[in-house]
Structure formats: C-alpha cells, structure tokens
Amino acid sequence: MEERSRPPNKMQDWYASPVRVLLSPITKRGGIGGFLQHCLSIGPEQSARRIVRMCRRVIGIVIDRNYDRQHGVDTSGFIPAKFLAPDSASSQFSHEYGPTPQKSFRRMLDVLPCSFKDYTLVDYGSGKGRTLLIAAEYPFKQIIGIEYSEELVKIADKNVATYRGQPLQCTSIESKFMDATVYSPPL
C-alpha cells in the first residue's frame, strides 16, 4: 500500500520515537557499515553537526512528550505534510507538523512590551494547538488558531478541552479549520 493513500484519521507521529530518530541514519544507509562509510564521505565536521542535530531532536521529543504528559494533551510528534491534508490546495505550500518549542514561544511572549488583555493572538498553522495552550497562560483577549488540516483541528479542540495544568488566563480559545489565505483577522 502506498503511504500517501493512508486515510487522514490513521495519521501517526512518524518521527516521534527517540529510538527511531537515533537509528534512522543507520537504517537509511543499510546498516552500520553504510553509516560509517557515509560519515567518512562527508567528513568529521559534517558528521558531528548531524549527530548534534539528531541529539537535539531527541531531546526535543522527550521535552515535548513531558509537556503532553504533564498537561494531559497530545501536541508532540512530527507528521509529514503529505498526511495532513493531501487534497487541500494549500498542501503544496505546507511543511511537516511539528510542535512549537514551548521554551522559545514563552520567551517570545515574555519580551513583548504590551498589555496582552488588549490583543487577540492569531496562530496561522496552529496544528495540534500547543501554541494556543501556551498563549492561554497569558491574559490575551482572545486566541485563534487557523489550520488547514481538519484532523489537526480536531486534535487541537480535544487538547483545549482536556488541558490540565495551571489555570488558563484566557479561556476564549478557538481553532478554525480553514485556509489561512482566506482568513480575515479581527481588528
């Protein structure tokens, strides 16, 4: 069965396993011998960079899963774009789903010199809704997520409903299933 023909409700987190991430360079190259040969061909500096990048991804997966366990949600994992909304006109412009790193997003929000209660946050490509949930820890007037994958919108809605953790300062959270190019944000 060709991967692309999988039904959207059977989506899975293709790159969410730390073991899979660690073993993928070896399995892609046909085993240890192929992997070592590839490392020799690209040189020690490039090999070290790739190993560091791979380790960062594994650490990110562990942190993401911890956030999900702590808050009773499902925001982690990486899903290739071809499984998100393959029949959508926007699919040609999309990338894989991957959650926003929580620490980076909180840092961005923390340095904004504004009164959140006067603003609506709009997240284009809101995915499973992690950014919506983190933003709701701040007193925004409203939070809106725009996502072209119906499956991800359903997951985001469930995440908003099942979120547990510190009380949310913004409870006006909405995830919209639509193409971002036709959305008109509130004024």
Side-chain angles (χ1 to χ4, degrees), residues 55-72:
C55 290
R56 283 180 148 167
R57 191 161 195 170
V58 167
I59 290 167
I61 290 168
V62 171
I63 290 169
D64 288 345
R65 286 184 174 176
N66 186 45
Y67 176 88
D68 286 358
R69 274 192 302 276
Q70 185 178 18
H71 298 292

Side-chain angles (χ1 to χ4, degrees), residues 107-129:
R107 280 185 183 163
M108 287 188 289
L109 292 176
D110 288 341
V111 299
L112 289 175
C114 66
S115 174
F116 294 111
K117 65 182 174 65
D118 298 329
Y119 293 95
T120 296
L121 180 132
V122 178
D123 179 14
Y124 292 92
S126 56
K128 294 181 178 183

Side-chain angles (χ1 to χ4, degrees), residues 18 41 45 57 65 68 79 102 117 156 159 164 178 181:
S41 72
E45 185 178 327
R57 191 161 195 170
R65 286 184 174 176
D68 286 358
I79 303 169
Q102 57 179 317
K117 65 182 174 65
N159 286 334
R164 62 177 190 265
M178 67 185 308
T181 62

Side-chain angles (χ1 to χ4, degrees), residues 4 79-97 147-150 177-181:
R4 193 161 181 66
I79 303 169
K82 65 184 175 183
F83 296 121
L84 297 176
D87 300 328
S88 167
S90 299
S91 65
Q92 63 182 325
F93 305 109
S94 64
H95 299 278
E96 72 179 5
Y97 166 78
E147 176 59 53
Y148 82 105
S149 168
E150 187 174 15
F177 166 55
M178 67 185 308
D179 188 319
T181 62

Side-chain angles (χ1 to χ4, degrees), residues 127-143:
K128 294 181 178 183
R130 177 181 292 175
T131 300
L132 307 178
L133 295 169
I134 293 170
E137 295 171 7
Y138 296 76
F140 282 99
K141 178 171 46 173
Q142 183 181 15
I143 298 169

